[in-house]
Each structure stands twice: as C-alpha cells, then as structure tokens.
Amino acid sequence: MEGYVLTNRNRDRYIYFDDNRRMAVTHSIGQAVVFFDSEKAYRVLDNQMPKKKRDEWYVVATEMQSAAESGSKFRAELDSPDTDESFDWDTIVDNIAGSYREILDYKDFLQKEQSKIELELCDIEHAIEFYSLNACDGYKMYKLFHDCRVRRREIKNDLRRINSILGMTYEQIAAGGIEKAFDEVDAQTYHPRVLPELFENRKA
C-alpha cells in the first residue's frame, strides 16, 4: 500500500508529530507520519512547515507494506494534527505585521493630506473675506470650499477609525471592537452650536 511522507533531499530525515502534536524531525522512517493522501501531505508542508525551511522538504511516496514487512511501524496520518485547525504562524505574522504597517502608512498619508486641505481652506476663506464675488464666481468659490470640507471630513473619519484600531487591545478587537467603532463613525451627526436654523429642513 502506497503512502506519502515528508522527507529532506537526502531522505535521511523525516517529519513526525510528537506527543504534544508538534512537528518534529526523526532519522527513522518507521517513526515518520504517513499520509494516505498526497494532497494532505502537501497541505501540512505548505501550512505547518516554517517558511524558511519549507524548500528543504519534499513529499515522496513510500510503500507502507514493505516497511511493515521489515518490522517498521509507521505513525498513521490520523496521529497528526488536523491541518485545518493548525496555525500557519508565518502567514499570521506576515498578515498582522503587514496590516499594521499599512495602517500606519495610511495614517501618515492622511495627516499630510489633512494639513494640505487645511491650507487650501485657509486660502479660500481669505479669498471670500477679501473679495466681492458675483453669483457665478461666488458659486464656484462655494463649490471649492464645499469639496474641501467634504474631503477633510472623510480624512477625519478615517483617522478616527485608525486611532480606534490602534487604541484597542487584542481582546477588544476579537470581541468586535473594530466593527463597533466603525459603526459609531458612520452614525455620527453634527449638532449646531448657535445657528440651528441653518440645518432645518435640509437634505444632505
């Protein structure tokens, strides 16, 4: 009966799982874990073998019957951990570190964009203050001012989302804290300070 084992190039080392269900190396093929399905062997190699060592190992076919006749006792694949429940630490670390870097880079980009927009708004406000505009130019100035304010609001909302994530513990994130924080950002409303009549019967 044919099975599949994980071995090195020289075929003098093999993979097995110790009593704590951790991947380990043995020089005895009789101790190696044998997979009845080559695809499962490749899943273990791809998902559980550390990325730096992955290229040193291969899936090879072996005759389980001949090994049994020689007195060797293979550890069947049922003794190995379920690959669907195992952690691929390399991928997890890469994903967490990559996501964190992306968030920090995006935060830096947003802060620079916010500073630029603040300067644009300052110029527009001074132009409105200094010059008398006709209806056409006044609308163009309003539209420019409006677009800048909308862009600044979007940036401030994203910065609020980022700061919420960076300020959370892992427990809060696992408990759905990010989703809750994002919902709060989406649900926020502006309450007028002194001119509520400007907001009556208005549609966004």
Side-chain angles (χ1 to χ4, degrees):
M1 179 179 178
E2 188 175 63
Y4 301 88
V5 296
L6 300 179
T7 185
N8 64 336
R9 185 186 299 274
N10 296 327
R11 299 197 181 187
D12 58 2
R13 292 186 296 160
Y14 303 88
I15 295 298
Y16 76 101
F17 292 97
D18 62 21
D19 294 336
N20 294 318
R21 301 173 70 80
R22 292 176 300 190
M23 184 178 286
V25 177
T26 177
H27 290 282
S28 171
I29 191 173
Q31 192 179 7
V33 60
V34 179
F35 301 90
F36 303 122
D37 183 348
S38 63
E39 291 185 3
K40 187 168 184 180
Y42 279 110
R43 286 201 301 272
V44 170
L45 179 62
D46 293 337
N47 296 330
Q48 293 182 252
M49 179 69 67
K51 187 181 297 184
K52 294 180 180 179
K53 298 181 179 180
R54 199 170 296 159
D55 293 339
E56 303 173 11
W57 294 89
Y58 304 87
V59 175
V60 298
T62 185
E63 287 294 330
M64 297 174 64
Q65 180 63 32
S66 61
E69 290 173 350
S70 66
S72 297
K73 293 183 179 179
F74 281 96
R75 298 185 60 166
E77 65 174 304
L78 295 179
D79 291 334
S80 66
D82 187 344
T83 58
D84 294 334
E85 297 180 0
S86 62
F87 276 85
D88 179 359
W89 283 110
D90 289 329
T91 299
I92 291 173
V93 170
D94 288 344
N95 288 342
I96 293 175
S99 296
Y100 197 80
R101 285 193 297 269
E102 287 184 19
I103 290 173
L104 293 179
D105 289 344
Y106 187 45
K107 180 178 182 179
D108 182 62
F109 167 77
L110 291 176
Q111 289 174 331
K112 292 177 180 178
E113 286 294 301
Q114 184 177 14
S115 297
K116 178 183 176 182
I117 291 175
E118 294 290 356
L119 295 176
E120 292 177 2
L121 287 170
C122 183
D123 288 345
I124 295 170
E125 290 168 351
H126 279 89
I128 294 173
E129 178 184 354
F130 295 153
Y131 304 112
S132 296
L133 305 172
N134 59 33
C136 180
D137 290 336
Y139 178 77
K140 290 180 180 178
M141 193 68 70
Y142 152 77
K143 189 66 170 60
L144 183 61
F145 182 78
H146 174 268
D147 290 346
C148 283
R149 293 282 301 196
V150 169
R151 282 162 47 208
R152 187 177 71 167
R153 170 52 53 196
E154 292 172 348
I155 288 173
K156 291 175 71 174
N157 285 347
D158 271 357
L159 285 172
R160 184 176 172 185
R161 293 184 180 98
I162 289 172
N163 290 331
S164 295
I165 294 173
L166 297 179
M168 289 182 188
T169 64
Y170 295 126
E171 290 78 8
Q172 290 172 324
I173 291 175
I178 293 178
E179 293 82 353
K180 182 180 179 181
F182 283 18
D183 287 342
E184 291 176 355
V185 172
D186 294 336
Q188 65 185 337
T189 57
Y190 176 79
H191 299 285
R193 274 63 169 179
V194 295
L195 297 173
E197 64 273 13
L198 296 181
F199 297 85
E200 294 176 355
N201 302 318
R202 299 287 184 181
K203 293 183 179 180

